[in-house]
Amino acid sequence: MAFNLFKSKGKLGIDIGTSAIKIVELEKEGGRFALKNYGLFEFKGSNNTQQAGGESKQVQNILKLPDGEIIWGIKEVLKKAKIKATNVVASIPSFSTFATVIEMPYLSEQDLAKSLPFEARKYIPVPLNEVVLDWSIIDVPPVQANKSTMVEIFLAAVPRDETLRYQRIMQGAGLHLRALELENSALIRALLGNDLSPTVIVNIGGRSTSVVIVNRGYERLSHNYEVGGFEITKSIARSLNVSLEKAEELKKKMGMKEVDENVINSAMKSLIDMMVFETRKTITNYEEAKNQKISRVLLVGGLTNMPSFANYFQQKLGREVFTGNALARVVYPQTLAPVTQELASIFSVAVGLAMREI
Ligand SMILES: Nc1ncnc2c1ncn2[C@@H]1O[C@H](COP(=O)(O)OP(=O)(O)OP(=O)(O)O)[C@@H](O)[C@H]1O
Ligand SMILES: [Mg+2]
C-alpha cells in the first residue's frame, strides 16, 4: 500500500562494491543536495559462506554472488536504514566497462549521433550488439561548426547482459533502476563537481585500487589493479600470526603511524609502495602522452582512512595529495560531523550516483 503523500522525493545511489553494498539517499533542497539516509551491508561468513571446518571466511567478491543474495543484501540495508525512496541510480564497476575519449569531426549533434556507432566499432573490443553505448560531447563548439571542427567525445560501453542483470537485481529488491552509470563517472561527479583541472583520483577499495586520470570533468585514462585493503589485512595477519579480524582492527587503529610499537608498519609498506608506484606510473604515462601536467592528486576509498595514510602516500609519491571529499557539496546533520570524513571516503561512488539527474 503506497500513498504518494508519503513517498520520499529522495534518490538512491547504490554502489555494489566487491566488499560491500553501499546506499546513499540524497534529496535536492533549494538547489543543494541534502543527505537523507545511508546504509552499508557487508557480507560476512556466518550466513552464506561457512567453510567445511566451521571457520567463516570473507566473501571474495559480492558481484560473483547469485543475484538472490545481492537482492537480500540490498533489502537488508533498506530495512535497517528505513529507506522509503525507490528511484535508483546504480554503478557498474570499472572492470566490466569500457571507456575512452575519441576525437571526431563535428557538424551537428544529429550528424554525430548517426556516425558515432560506426566510429565506436574501431574502439570497442566486442561486437556492438553485445553492449549498450553511451557518449557525451566534452565541449560543444560555441560557434557555428564547419567541416574541420573536431570535438572530443567521451565514449562508454557496458555489456548488455550486465545491464539486464542490474535491472533484475533492482527489481527484485522492489526498486526502480532509473540509470546505470560507470563507477568512475559517479566518483568524478561527487569529488570534482564543476572543477575542470587535470586531476588523478586514487580509489583504494577492498579488493582493488583504481587510478583514474580526469581532465575537463571526464575520465581520460584509468588503471585498475587487484590489490586493496583486504590484501593489506591478510599481510598483517600473516606476519603477526593473528586472525584476519585482529589484523583488520590493527590496520584501522595503527595505520602507518610512525611510532616504535607500530609492528604492522612493515607488513603493509611494500603493498602501499606498490599503490604509489602504480599511481606514479599512470600519471607519468598520461603526462608524457598528452604533454600536460596533472595538478592534483585525490585519495578516496575505505583504506585512505587509515591513520597517517595520506602523509605516507604523499611522501612516497613526492607530490602533494589531498583527501577527496564527496560530501563537500552536501548538507548533512551536524551529529554526523565526527564521522563525515570516513563516510565520504566509503560512500563517494554512491553519493555521485545519487547526485545524477534522471
Ligand atoms: N578506518 C579505516 N582504516 C583503514 N582501513 C579501512 C578503514 N575503513 C575501511 N577500511 C578498509 O577499506 C576497505 C574497503 O574500502 P571500500 O569501502 O572503498 O571498498 P569497496 O568499494 O567495497 O571495494 P572495491 O572498490 O574494491 O569494490 C576495506 O579493506 C577496509 O578494511
Ligand atoms: Mg569501491
Side-chain angles (χ1 to χ4, degrees):
M1 193 170 62
F3 296 102
N4 278 342
L5 268 180
F6 299 107
K7 249 194 188 156
S8 166
K9 290 185 285 160
K11 206 183 325 144
L12 304 178
I14 303 191
D15 166 20
I16 308 175
T18 56
S19 57
I21 295 173
K22 295 150 201 170
I23 304 186
V24 164
E25 179 181 355
L26 295 184
E27 213 174 277
K28 205 139 190 201
E29 285 172 358
R32 290 204 72 174
F33 289 105
L35 177 66
K36 288 290 148 188
N37 220 325
Y38 65 90
L40 175 138
F41 187 83
E42 271 179 293
F43 282 86
K44 287 277 160 57
S46 54
N47 36 31
N48 40 29
T49 48
Q50 206 73 20
Q51 280 182 319
E55 181 199 343
S56 69
K57 75 172 196 257
Q58 280 186 280
V59 171
Q60 284 304 312
N61 182 347
I62 290 178
L63 289 157
K64 290 194 176 134
L65 290 173
D67 292 358
E69 294 207 29
I70 298 180
I71 292 171
W72 175 76
I74 294 174
K75 283 180 160 172
E76 284 293 298
V77 183
L78 299 176
K79 198 163 69 191
K80 292 218 175 84
K82 299 195 176 69
I83 291 173
K84 296 281 178 292
T86 58
N87 285 325
V88 173
V89 180
S91 58
I92 284 247
S94 355
F95 53 78
S96 53
T97 54
F98 171 86
T100 191
V101 171
I102 62 173
E103 265 201 16
M104 277 181 71
Y106 181 89
L107 276 175
S108 67
E109 191 133 358
Q110 295 92 312
D111 176 69
L112 200 68
K114 263 188 242 146
S115 48
L116 197 104
F118 296 97
E119 192 65 16
R121 259 181 227 163
K122 295 187 208 157
Y123 299 91
I124 294 171
V126 291
L128 283 194
N129 59 4
E130 288 174 20
V131 297
V132 177
L133 267 191
D134 192 17
W135 52 276
S136 32
I137 304 171
I138 295 181
D139 283 313
V140 178
V143 288
Q144 188 70 38
N146 61 48
K147 273 206 175 78
S148 59
T149 309
M150 298 292 280
V151 285
E152 282 188 321
I153 292 155
F154 178 73
L155 179 67
V158 176
R160 202 172 286 280
D161 289 353
E162 284 288 300
T163 64
L164 296 174
R165 181 180 185 216
Y166 276 80
Q167 270 166 23
R168 281 198 307 272
I169 290 175
M170 296 308 160
Q171 206 168 24
L175 301 170
H176 306 295
L177 182 63
R178 305 293 303 270
L180 204 53
E181 181 167 62
L182 310 194
E183 178 182 10
N184 289 341
S185 303
L187 204 53
I188 292 168
R189 183 180 304 111
L191 297 179
L192 304 187
N194 297 323
D195 189 325
L196 300 176
S197 58
T199 300
V200 58
I201 302 175
V202 186
N203 181 13
I204 311 172
R207 316 285 156 182
S208 67
T209 295
S210 60
V211 183
V212 188
I213 306 269
V214 186
N215 187 23
R216 304 195 65 76
Y218 285 89
E219 170 182 341
R220 302 293 169 143
L221 181 69
S222 84
H223 172 55
N224 253 292
Y225 73 109
E226 302 293 303
V227 176
F230 187 53
E231 276 307 312
I232 289 180
T233 303
K234 279 203 296 197
S235 168
I236 297 170
R238 230 181 292 125
S239 61
L240 269 69
N241 200 18
V242 294
S243 68
L244 286 176
E245 287 74 18
K246 181 72 191 165
E248 179 79 14
E249 188 191 313
L250 283 170
K251 176 176 84 173
K252 290 185 177 166
K253 189 168 147 246
M254 301 297 290
M256 300 299 285
K257 271 193 250 172
E258 293 276 357
V259 285
D260 289 346
E261 71 271 26
N262 194 350
V263 280
I264 69 164
N265 221 319
S266 54
M268 302 192 287
K269 257 189 179 138
S270 63
L271 289 171
I272 294 171
D273 289 354
M274 208 158 100
M275 292 170 178
V276 174
F277 173 81
E278 297 288 338
T279 303
R280 183 182 299 116
K281 198 173 69 182
T282 307
I283 294 176
T284 312
N285 282 348
Y286 180 81
E287 287 187 335
E288 283 174 2
K290 299 286 172 194
N291 196 18
Q292 180 178 51
K293 285 268 164 249
I294 296 295
S295 54
R296 215 160 30 141
V297 182
L298 293 182
L299 298 180
V300 277
L303 195 82
T304 59
N305 290 302
M306 202 158 71
S308 304
F309 182 81
N311 260 341
Y312 183 81
F313 202 96
Q314 169 162 303
Q315 248 174 45
K316 275 276 154 179
L317 186 67
R319 284 174 187 249
E320 196 176 8
V321 309
F322 297 92
T323 316
N325 181 8
L327 292 173
R329 289 172 294 124
V330 176
V331 183
Y332 48 81
Q334 268 315 299
T335 46
L336 285 180
V339 291
T340 44
Q341 180 48 50
E342 190 162 357
L343 279 184
S345 69
I346 290 178
F347 287 94
S348 48
V349 172
V351 168
L353 292 167
M355 282 177 170
R356 182 180 162 138
E357 301 289 340
I358 48 177

